Amino acid sequence: MLDFFSIATKGGLVLWSKAYGPAQSSPINNLIQDILIEERSSTQIYYKDNYAIKWTFVNDLDLIFIAVYPKSLGLTYIDTLLQAASTQFSDRYGDRILRKSGGIPQLKDWGVQFEALLQTIEDQDALSKKTKQPRKFEQTVGYSNSLAYAKAKPEDIKDTSKPALVDEDEFLRNIEMLKKKSASPRIGMRKGRGAKSPAASPVIGSDDSKKKTKEGRKWDGKISAKDAKSLDYSNSDAADVVNADHLVDQSKLGQHGKDGTYNVADLEASDEDESYSDEESEEEYTKISARSLQAKKPAASSGLMSFFKNMTGQKEMTAESLEPIMSKMKEHLINKNVAADIAQHLCDSVAKGLVGQTLGSFKSVQAHVKQSMETALKRILTPKTSVDLLRDIAQAQAEKRPYTIVFIGVNGVGKSTNLSKTAFWLLQNNLKVLIAACDTFRSGAVEQLRVHARNLKALEQNAVVDLYEKGYGKDSASIAKEAISSAKLTGHDVVLIDTAGRMQDNDPLMRALAKLVTVNNPDKIIFVGEALVGNEAVDQLTKFNAALKDYSGLANPRHIDGMILTKFDTIDDKVGAALSMTYTTGQPILFVGTGQTYTDLKNMKVNNNNSYCPGRHYTADSNRTYTMNLLNNNDALSLAKLRDVLIRLEDTIIFALIERAQFALNDCTYQPGVYKYDNGSQGSFLEYFLHEMEKVHARVRRYTSPDEYPFTSPLPEPMLPTLDFPPTLHPNNINVNKDIMERYLQDIVPKICAPGDDLNYGSSATRDTECLQALSKRIHYGKFIAESKFMDPTQQKTYIRLIQNKDRDAIMELLTNRTVEAALLRRLRRKALIYGSDITETGEVVTKEGEVEGSTATAAAGATTSRKIQADVVVDLYERFVIPLTKEVEVEYLLQRLDGWQIPEDSKN
């Protein structure tokens, strides 16, 4: 009955798996993409193709247990199996997993134990079905519990005992039986009754606030010639009378990059209506009413702060202790304009990830809950596909065709206005724009676009922006097609297609929209929505996407590719609508509209330096850089800068591994004495090549920088003047390049390269050099991290005491942040999945030959992909090699940190 069972770390490393039949697809990959990565793990069951998937977390060990079975079978014992398997596995191997130095535990006997456990639970389930008879209410457990509750004293009501999940004797008998068996595990599936899919949760609607009605114009039965002329907007040749001053706000103009491209301004703090202070957020974010606490503890105060203090002594978080926090958090999210069902799913997912985690002081509880929520929100808001429209347009230009964008949405959200803002941005990049008037339904729609085209021409002297119109009552799909053909003939670069506003329940208009998309197959479908809506945004996006799918008649229908949020300047809680829309579609927010001028179009970027909890007003940092100026001591010891550099080095390492993986192993390049060298070296070809490369690098002073470490010696003196680097690091003699070289040749290259010899010795040595230098730089950056943490005045006394005691383990524990490491591995897996796959023109990831789908993980057994490198290999490289060796560098550096250093008086114990 069971098809597949897997035990994996949250970082994606599969510890153990068992398949009971051939897999027709990769359901676990879909689970990772659709549920776990998208923070939807609060869902109890997940259906994909012909499979049903259930899972459970063991958060204190960072493990996930996954069971896959046919969805047509009603397997009632899966929850019991997951709970029993996770309990027994944790008891048996938990200590070894927690000891990081122990490596991956050997699971030799687990297969037999799991088979016995599965056999026991299946037998118990079959027996319970055979012996199950209809009972009277007096014989039910509910009746017994009710009767016992009524008779029991108050202090006797609570019963914490739990029944055993499996029969102990039967389980032991099954283990002995399976150990004696020599036959292979059973393969195949059995028949069973189908299980009903859970009903879709209803979307909670929101009450629309009453809008002010526009005051009508008083005509008094007649109109003067002057008024008639001022109200006549039909003259398309009136560009000479346009007053351009009010059309743009010079203070809100974007900037031109070094390559000449014009970028719209980023959303800044000045755009927000109020600032955010941490003190105020604690009160608002964690406040809870006295009434909700009164039932649990009468003497508790009215704030959640008191509740947290009561939890300080607890060793781990439980579902019961998190319930009031998450209830208040859900209410907070809804108040900040997040759709109700999305707020519920998000809180459930975060709570599920916290249950079982060990916590310390009050501050750690507070930080853990908030950090988990912020991490989840950042993950949702981070674009999963490209948002670089200019690059996509350049690609279309190379193909000698116009790039087409369709703007869709409900009535009155500002589609035409934001289309014109987008046109202004494109014109600033010297692109020729054709606007297609395909709103043939609303009176005045064509005239509105005609005015916008006239204004845009008046703003830019040599601007090429034209309007393609065919009047009203015509077929919008045909007009769009004619406009695209016309743009190709006239040399326009971009076609912006305006469509009629329509409510999501208007079936005829939704069919017409699906027809327009199907006939013309635009490059981008942009949904324009208001930032004012919460629950309504979910309903709009869901039904627009459903209409594009249901009415297209295509096997692979189109869907919404991105969104523009309008009226962003009219609300205080800006992240709510953005969160609801991106969670619903999984697509990025391209721009936000913040006013009435053509410059009021801005970027909303996820900023890693600011919190995204709704209510916290954020700034998109357009000046963020991934480089570090080591000539600036403050720069070199900034944890934020260090983090950015390490993130950039992740990309460097992944791409270097991908480049090396394209060549065979070429083992002869690693063997000494194979070739004779002009310098008399007796080493391997790689050692010779690396030395020659490092001699060139040394001449241009590469190794005078404190973050660069050579693998070979001796090296020549620099030909360039030496830079005066400040003494950022304490003098030390730590260089682990020998360990890096050994691990790289023994563990990494054999995993990423095909065996054999393809004669590309120079190419493979070049890529080996790039990989080794990137790994060396990444690992030795641990010195900067250690120095930064040591200089933290709140931690320096602790570090000094531990260093004086030579307490290596305690130093390692103080340096370790498991939450950050887990987030790093998740980010790394995502990068490896994307970078290691072929990407189509529409941004889809090619996972198999001829198959296109969203990027997924490769945890399922037997999954064959066309990836250039497996994500598991990259994650395993970091988890077992890069992170541990970096921390070893940090510890060794700190153990030498007090040598010759005068301890400040205020830091002495």
Side-chain angles (χ1 to χ4, degrees):
M1 292 186 183
L2 190 67
D3 278 349
F4 191 81
F5 196 92
S6 179
I7 305 172
T9 67
K10 289 185 178 179
L13 180 63
V14 178
L15 300 180
W16 183 87
S17 63
K18 179 71 173 179
Y20 292 96
Q24 298 177 352
S25 61
S26 303
I28 293 185
N29 291 346
N30 298 108
L31 170 72
I32 295 171
Q33 177 194 358
D34 298 339
I35 302 298
L36 303 183
I37 291 180
E38 296 298 330
E39 289 293 336
R40 303 170 193 260
S41 56
S42 61
T43 308
Q44 298 301 315
I45 189 170
Y46 172 64
Y47 296 100
K48 184 64 179 180
D49 298 332
N50 297 322
Y51 297 103
I53 310 171
K54 286 192 173 184
W55 62 95
T56 188
F57 293 107
V58 179
N59 290 313
D60 54 338
L61 300 179
D62 281 337
L63 297 179
I64 177 172
F65 293 73
I66 306 172
V68 182
Y69 60 97
K71 70 178 180 181
S72 59
L73 301 182
L75 300 187
T76 57
Y77 61 80
I78 294 297
D79 290 330
T80 304
L81 176 64
L82 285 168
Q83 187 176 353
S86 62
T87 301
Q88 291 193 14
F89 187 89
S90 301
D91 293 342
R92 191 180 183 98
Y93 304 105
D95 292 339
R96 273 183 275 176
I97 292 175
L98 288 174
R99 293 199 306 268
K100 297 294 183 182
S101 58
I104 299 177
Q106 298 297 318
L107 308 177
K108 295 180 180 178
D109 300 330
W110 173 247
V112 175
Q113 185 167 354
F114 178 79
E115 287 293 330
L117 179 65
L118 177 60
Q119 184 67 49
T120 303
I121 292 177
E122 285 184 341
D123 292 345
Q124 289 182 359
D125 182 69
L127 181 63
S128 65
K129 290 180 179 179
K130 289 181 180 179
T131 58
K132 194 171 182 180
Q133 299 292 335
R135 296 170 295 171
K136 297 180 180 180
F137 175 69
E138 290 78 3
Q139 297 173 329
T140 63
V141 177
Y143 176 79
S144 301
N145 291 342
S146 300
L147 187 63
Y149 184 88
K151 293 180 178 180
K153 296 179 182 181
E155 60 271 15
D156 298 332
I157 290 177
K158 188 175 181 180
D159 182 12
T160 58
S161 62
K162 294 184 179 179
L165 291 172
V166 296
D167 187 296
E168 187 74 19
D169 295 334
E170 184 180 356
F171 174 63
L172 294 174
R173 285 196 300 271
N174 284 331
I175 287 183
E176 293 300 324
M177 179 185 67
L178 287 166
K179 284 183 178 179
K180 294 177 182 178
K181 279 188 176 182
S182 59
S184 60
R186 56 201 172 87
I187 296 179
M189 298 182 293
R190 304 173 221 168
K191 296 180 180 179
R193 290 178 290 180
K196 294 183 178 180
S197 300
S201 54
V203 178
I204 304 174
S206 58
D207 297 329
D208 295 327
S209 57
K210 294 184 178 179
K211 299 181 179 179
K212 291 185 178 180
T213 57
K214 185 177 180 180
E215 185 177 350
R217 186 184 299 275
K218 295 182 180 179
W219 297 100
D220 296 328
K222 52 188 176 181
I223 182 172
S224 64
K226 181 180 179 181
D227 291 338
K229 184 176 180 180
S230 65
L231 294 172
D232 183 8
Y233 296 102
S234 61
N235 183 10
S236 59
D237 299 325
D240 55 334
V241 297
V242 173
N243 180 12
D245 294 338
H246 71 285
L247 299 178
V248 297
D249 187 340
Q250 296 295 330
S251 64
K252 296 181 181 179
L253 280 170
Q255 296 180 344
H256 288 275
K258 293 181 179 179
D259 56 355
T261 59
Y262 173 82
N263 299 307
V264 300
D266 293 332
L267 196 64
E268 299 175 352
S270 59
D271 297 322
E272 309 295 341
D273 296 328
E274 57 181 278
S275 60
Y276 178 91
S277 67
D278 290 336
E279 292 78 10
E280 292 173 356
S281 74
E282 301 301 339
E283 185 69 19
E284 178 186 1
Y285 188 65
T286 61
K287 192 188 296 180
I288 194 169
S289 64
R291 184 180 301 173
S292 63
L293 287 175
Q294 196 169 10
K296 292 195 178 268
K297 187 166 182 172
S301 65
S302 61
L304 188 57
M305 312 287 273
S306 302
F307 176 75
F308 271 131
K309 290 176 182 176
N310 293 334
M311 290 172 52
T312 303
Q314 296 185 357
K315 293 263 179 108
E316 66 178 36
M317 294 287 275
T318 64
E320 292 76 15
S321 63
L322 283 170
E323 183 179 356
I325 307 172
M326 293 304 171
S327 176
K328 188 62 182 177
M329 188 181 292
K330 175 189 172 184
E331 179 184 346
H332 178 81
L333 290 168
I334 294 173
N335 289 338
K336 298 303 178 183
N337 216 21
V338 178
D341 59 335
I342 292 176
Q344 181 66 59
H345 281 300
L346 191 57
C347 289
D348 290 346
S349 178
V350 171
K352 199 169 183 178
L354 290 173
V355 171
Q357 291 192 6
T358 303
L359 299 172
S361 63
F362 163 73
K363 285 187 177 180
S364 66
V365 174
Q366 180 188 51
H368 216 64
V369 174
K370 290 181 64 178
Q371 185 179 25
S372 297
M373 176 57 73
E374 291 175 6
T375 301
L377 296 181
K378 285 181 183 179
R379 187 179 297 115
I380 293 170
L381 290 171
T382 300
K384 310 297 188 300
T385 58
S386 171
V387 294
D388 190 350
L389 289 181
L390 293 179
R391 185 194 64 183
D392 297 341
I393 294 171
Q395 179 64 31
Q397 287 177 321
E399 298 170 3
K400 296 184 178 180
R401 65 175 181 85
Y403 189 85
T404 56
I405 304 175
V406 172
F407 293 80
I408 66 174
V410 300
N411 308 78
V413 295
K415 289 185 300 301
S416 301
T417 301
N418 283 275
L419 179 149
S420 64
K421 293 178 183 179
T422 305
F424 176 78
W425 168 61
L426 295 171
L427 291 172
Q428 298 304 304
N429 286 287
N430 300 317
L431 295 171
K432 300 175 183 179
V433 179
L434 178 66
I435 300 174
C438 296
D439 183 355
T440 62
F441 185 80
R442 175 173 63 90
S443 177
V446 176
E447 287 76 14
Q448 182 183 7
L449 291 177
R450 191 180 296 151
V451 171
H452 282 308
R454 183 192 68 191
N455 292 343
L456 291 169
K457 285 181 179 179
L459 285 171
E460 200 70 25
Q461 186 175 4
N462 297 318
V464 178
V465 51
D466 299 305
L467 178 67
Y468 189 92
E469 57 171 297
K470 288 292 182 178
Y472 296 97
K474 307 291 178 61
D475 180 34
S476 57
S478 300
I479 297 175
K481 188 168 186 175
E482 293 173 11
I484 295 171
S485 300
S486 174
K488 191 171 184 178
L489 294 174
T490 55
H492 287 85
D493 300 310
V494 185
V495 179
L496 304 179
I497 302 173
D498 186 37
T499 62
R502 64 205 76 208
M503 297 307 294
Q504 61 269 29
D505 297 316
N506 190 323
D507 192 67
L509 287 179
M510 296 305 288
R511 287 179 182 273
L513 177 63
K515 177 185 175 183
L516 185 149
V517 170
T518 303
V519 169
N520 296 284
N521 192 26
D523 293 286
K524 282 287 184 191
I525 303 174
I526 297 180
F527 180 86
V528 183
E530 288 183 339
L532 301 165
V533 296
N535 291 295
E536 183 66 15
V538 176
D539 189 51
Q540 290 175 6
L541 286 163
T542 302
K543 291 182 177 178
F544 266 82
N545 257 337
L548 293 176
K549 176 182 178 181
D550 296 340
Y551 301 143
S552 68
L554 300 176
N556 296 308
R558 295 291 303 276
H559 53 71
I560 293 170
D561 299 312
M563 292 161 286
I564 294 178
L565 280 180
T566 67
K567 307 176 185 178
F568 219 63
D569 55 323
T570 63
I571 57 172
D572 295 330
D573 304 311
K574 296 173 170 42
V575 181
L579 181 64
S580 298
M581 290 185 173
T582 51
Y583 188 93
T584 301
T585 64
Q587 300 302 322
I589 294 174
L590 301 174
F591 301 110
V592 293
T594 58
Q596 296 299 313
T597 69
Y598 292 120
T599 52
D600 289 318
L601 190 71
K602 299 196 175 182
N603 285 322
M604 188 180 75
K605 296 181 180 177
V606 177
N607 177 11
N608 291 336
N609 297 324
N610 290 283
S611 169
Y612 270 81
C613 278
R616 182 185 292 268
H617 296 278
Y618 58 90
T619 302
D621 184 5
S622 58
N623 297 318
R624 183 181 177 192
T625 175
Y626 286 92
T627 60
M628 177 180 291
N629 181 11
L630 294 178
L631 297 172
N632 184 336
N633 207 30
N634 293 330
D635 205 353
L637 294 181
S638 165
L639 281 178
K641 286 284 186 181
L642 287 168
R643 181 195 62 223
D644 289 344
V645 171
L646 296 183
I647 290 174
R648 177 181 57 81
L649 284 171
E650 292 170 10
D651 301 342
T652 304
I653 291 171
I654 293 174
F655 283 117
L657 292 173
I658 290 173
E659 290 298 309
R660 179 59 185 92
Q662 67 180 311
F663 303 109
L665 181 61
N666 295 328
D667 187 62
C668 64
T669 62
Y670 307 136
Q671 304 301 325
V674 177
Y675 297 97
K676 293 182 180 180
Y677 310 106
D678 52 8
N679 62 359
S681 172
Q682 299 297 317
S684 67
F685 177 78
L686 175 61
E687 292 172 339
Y688 167 80
F689 186 93
L690 186 58
H691 190 149
E692 294 299 314
M693 290 292 292
E694 288 189 338
K695 285 197 293 186
V696 175
H697 294 166
R699 293 283 288 162
V700 292
R701 71 186 179 201
R702 174 173 185 170
Y703 300 111
T704 62
S705 176
D707 63 339
E708 296 283 359
Y709 296 83
F711 283 81
T712 63
S713 64
L715 296 176
E717 292 297 319
M719 59 179 289
L720 297 176
T722 303
L723 297 176
D724 187 18
F725 290 99
T728 304
L729 298 177
H730 189 72
N732 65 90
N733 59 359
I734 301 167
N735 187 325
V736 295
N737 278 345
K738 184 178 179 180
D739 294 333
I740 294 173
M741 173 73 80
E742 181 180 349
R743 294 291 298 274
Y744 177 76
L745 296 182
Q746 292 181 0
D747 297 339
I748 300 173
V749 178
K751 289 183 179 179
I752 65 174
C753 296
D757 192 319
D758 60 7
L759 304 180
N760 288 306
Y761 303 149
S763 298
S764 59
T766 302
R767 303 312 178 194
D768 285 331
T769 301
E770 293 171 354
C771 290
L772 288 167
Q773 291 175 338
L775 287 168
S776 175
K777 188 168 186 175
R778 166 62 174 82
I779 290 169
H780 285 102
Y781 253 105
K783 297 181 184 182
F784 291 91
I785 298 172
E787 180 68 20
S788 178
K789 292 184 177 181
F790 177 83
M791 294 304 295
D792 183 356
T794 64
Q795 296 285 340
Q796 193 171 87
K797 284 186 178 181
T798 303
Y799 277 114
I800 290 174
R801 174 176 54 81
L802 296 177
I803 294 169
Q804 290 174 333
N805 296 334
K806 303 294 182 182
D807 194 342
R808 180 183 296 270
D809 292 340
I811 295 174
M812 179 72 77
E813 185 63 28
L814 189 58
L815 288 168
T816 300
N817 188 328
R818 291 183 176 83
T819 303
V820 172
E821 291 178 6
L824 183 154
L825 294 176
R826 288 194 298 270
R827 179 177 66 244
L828 199 71
R829 170 171 290 279
R830 187 68 178 168
K831 286 182 177 181
L833 290 171
I834 298 299
Y835 299 165
S837 303
D838 292 324
I839 309 295
T840 67
E841 294 180 359
T842 58
E844 302 288 344
V845 177
V846 180
T847 60
K848 297 182 182 179
E849 188 68 22
E851 179 178 337
V852 178
E853 61 185 62
S855 57
T856 58
T858 56
T864 59
T865 69
S866 58
R867 301 197 194 284
K868 301 160 192 169
I869 191 170
Q870 294 298 318
D872 286 342
V873 174
V874 179
V875 173
D876 186 59
L877 164 67
Y878 260 72
E879 191 170 27
R880 298 179 57 192
F881 171 41
V882 175
I883 294 176
L885 193 53
T886 302
K887 291 198 289 188
E888 286 293 334
V889 168
E890 295 175 26
V891 172
E892 291 297 332
Y893 175 85
L894 288 174
L895 288 175
Q896 300 180 27
R897 184 60 181 79
L898 300 183
D899 296 344
W901 186 68
Q902 184 66 37
I903 301 176
E905 289 296 324
D906 57 352
S907 296
K908 292 181 179 179
N909 294 327

